[in-house]
């Protein structure tokens, strides 16, 4: 069931999302060759707790950490580890969730570690652009398929692939609410968007195949052909005319620059 939010609830969601954005900016300050993903996890957890919030992923279906950290060919749900040491040229997708006043913020960003190749920079840029193109379609009266179409057509026009097995979602009191928000679709298809719906749009885009494999830890997904993947996510509220983006990349990009 799709649960429409009041203005007060949307403001609480904005609060939790801005804590997530702040935590991701703290990660941005620390991310460099030689750092481990477990160190980044500790930084994010401290930031979230310092703001009076609780990490939303920690303990979710038994997930062991605050962040999902997915390296290079990993797509989503990577587990932070003291054995994963970032190297020059890597990319790391960092997904973060935080709960305060009963509402869950959810946002993700893919970081470059030092200098990465131009091909991979194009993957990241295209994925981020596709997120904003999807958000442009996320207005009252449009349909979910309009979002998926915008994401998919942009990424495929550059020769990239769109992951199907993982999708965006409604977000609010629960991290994953109805509806599912696919990154593929046909214009004019699917659930009609209504004012007060709050959703997370999160394209997961790959250089090669969109097929995924689960690693042995039961969480981490990676591409079947081991080509690299990017992931960007915003939580938004549907309104008339223009979506209201509740998370922000501004804090991150004040640290690492605009991709
Ligand atoms: Mg997320
Ligand atoms: Mg999400």
């Amino acid at each position: 069931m799709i649960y429409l939010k009041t203005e007060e609830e949307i403001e609480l969601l904005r609060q939790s999302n801005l804590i997530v954005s702040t935590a991701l900016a703290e990660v941005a300050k620390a991310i460099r060759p030689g750092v481990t993903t477990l160190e980044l996890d500790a930084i994010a957890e401290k930031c979230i707790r310092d703001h009076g919030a609780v990490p939303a992923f920690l303990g979710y279906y038994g997930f062991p950490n605050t962040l999902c950290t997915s390296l290079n060919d990993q797509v989503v749900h990577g587990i932070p580890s003291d054995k994963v040491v970032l190297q020059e040229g890597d990319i790391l997708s960092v997904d973060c969730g935080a709960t305060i006043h009963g509402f869950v913020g959810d946002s993700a960003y893919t970081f470059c570690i030092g200098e990465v190749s131009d091909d991979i920079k194009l993957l990241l840029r295209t994925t981020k652009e596709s997120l904003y193109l999807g958000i442009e379609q996320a207005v009252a009266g449009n349909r979910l398929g309009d979002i998926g179409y915008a994401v998919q057509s942009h990424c495929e026009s550059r020769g990239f692939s769109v992951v199907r097995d993982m999708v965006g979602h409604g977000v609010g009191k629960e991290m994953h609410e109805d509806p599912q928000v696919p990154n593929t679709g046909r214009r004019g298809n699917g659930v009609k968007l209504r004012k007060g719906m709050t959703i997370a749009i999160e394209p997961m885009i790959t250089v090669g195949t969109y097929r995924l494999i689960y690693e042995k830890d039961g969480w981490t997904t990676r591409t079947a052909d081991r080509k690299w993947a990017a992931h960007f996510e915003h939580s938004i509220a549907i309104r008339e005319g223009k979506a209201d983006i509740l998370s922000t990349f501004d804090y991150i990009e004040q640290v690492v620059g605009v991709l």
Side-chain angles (χ1 to χ4, degrees):
M1 197 180 127
I2 296 174
Y3 167 46
L4 300 179
K5 278 76 175 177
T6 65
E7 286 300 324
E8 290 73 25
E9 290 172 324
I10 290 171
E11 288 316 308
L12 293 176
L13 265 173
R14 193 187 315 279
Q15 224 179 306
S16 58
N17 273 290
L18 291 180
I19 293 171
V20 168
S21 302
T22 304
L24 286 173
E26 290 301 307
V27 168
K29 288 177 192 167
I31 204 161
R32 62 175 65 87
V35 84
T36 71
T37 51
L38 194 62
E39 290 174 273
L40 300 177
D41 188 73
I43 288 165
E45 178 170 2
K46 180 174 188 309
C47 178
I48 289 168
R49 294 195 190 281
D50 285 351
H51 284 82
V54 175
F57 299 172
L58 186 64
Y60 188 78
Y61 291 100
F63 189 79
N65 291 85
T66 292
L67 298 177
C68 293
T69 50
S70 306
L71 185 69
N72 299 338
D73 63 338
Q74 296 175 346
V75 180
V76 286
H77 303 162
I79 299 175
S81 164
D82 57 3
K83 292 182 185 63
V84 178
V85 183
L86 299 179
Q87 314 280 335
E88 178 82 23
D90 283 343
I91 55 170
L92 186 73
S93 297
V94 181
D95 196 347
C96 185
T99 308
I100 192 166
H101 307 311
F103 285 85
V104 183
D106 187 11
S107 180
Y109 196 90
T110 300
F111 293 91
C112 296
I113 316 306
E115 264 311 301
V116 309
S117 72
D118 287 344
D119 293 2
I120 294 300
K121 270 190 208 152
L122 182 65
L123 169 72
L124 268 52
R125 221 175 277 133
T126 302
T127 306
K128 195 175 96 166
E129 286 164 1
S130 77
L131 168 60
Y132 285 102
L133 291 169
I135 290 170
E136 264 177 36
Q137 296 299 318
V139 293
N142 274 5
R143 291 180 181 269
L144 275 178
D146 296 314
I147 298 175
Y149 177 83
V151 171
Q152 181 179 14
S153 56
H154 184 63
C155 294
E156 290 183 349
S157 76
R158 299 258 174 89
F160 298 123
S161 301
V162 181
V163 169
R164 271 75 163 159
D165 288 3
M166 303 281 173
V167 294
H169 49 89
V171 64
K173 287 185 180 165
E174 303 291 334
M175 185 155 56
H176 295 124
E177 296 183 351
D178 288 337
Q180 293 202 337
V181 181
N183 296 300
T184 56
R186 283 187 293 160
R187 275 190 280 206
N189 268 41
V191 169
K192 196 173 224 177
L193 303 173
R194 294 172 61 192
K195 181 173 176 282
M197 282 174 66
T198 50
I199 58 174
I201 303 177
E202 49 180 317
M204 290 149 268
I205 307 300
T206 66
V207 170
T209 183
Y210 59 74
R211 287 192 307 113
L212 303 185
I213 284 178
Y214 278 86
E215 293 191 350
K216 282 198 275 316
D217 61 26
W219 281 102
T220 312
T221 58
R222 66 166 176 84
T223 59
D225 59 6
R226 308 217 83 141
K227 291 186 178 167
W228 290 14
H231 178 212
F232 288 83
E233 175 179 26
H234 273 316
S235 293
I236 66 151
I238 306 288
R239 296 186 183 280
E240 311 281 346
K242 193 169 190 288
D244 185 356
I245 307 177
L246 303 174
S247 43
T248 178
F249 295 151
D250 290 353
Y251 304 166
I252 297 169
E253 293 183 341
Q254 280 161 18
V255 178
V256 296
V258 177
L259 188 66

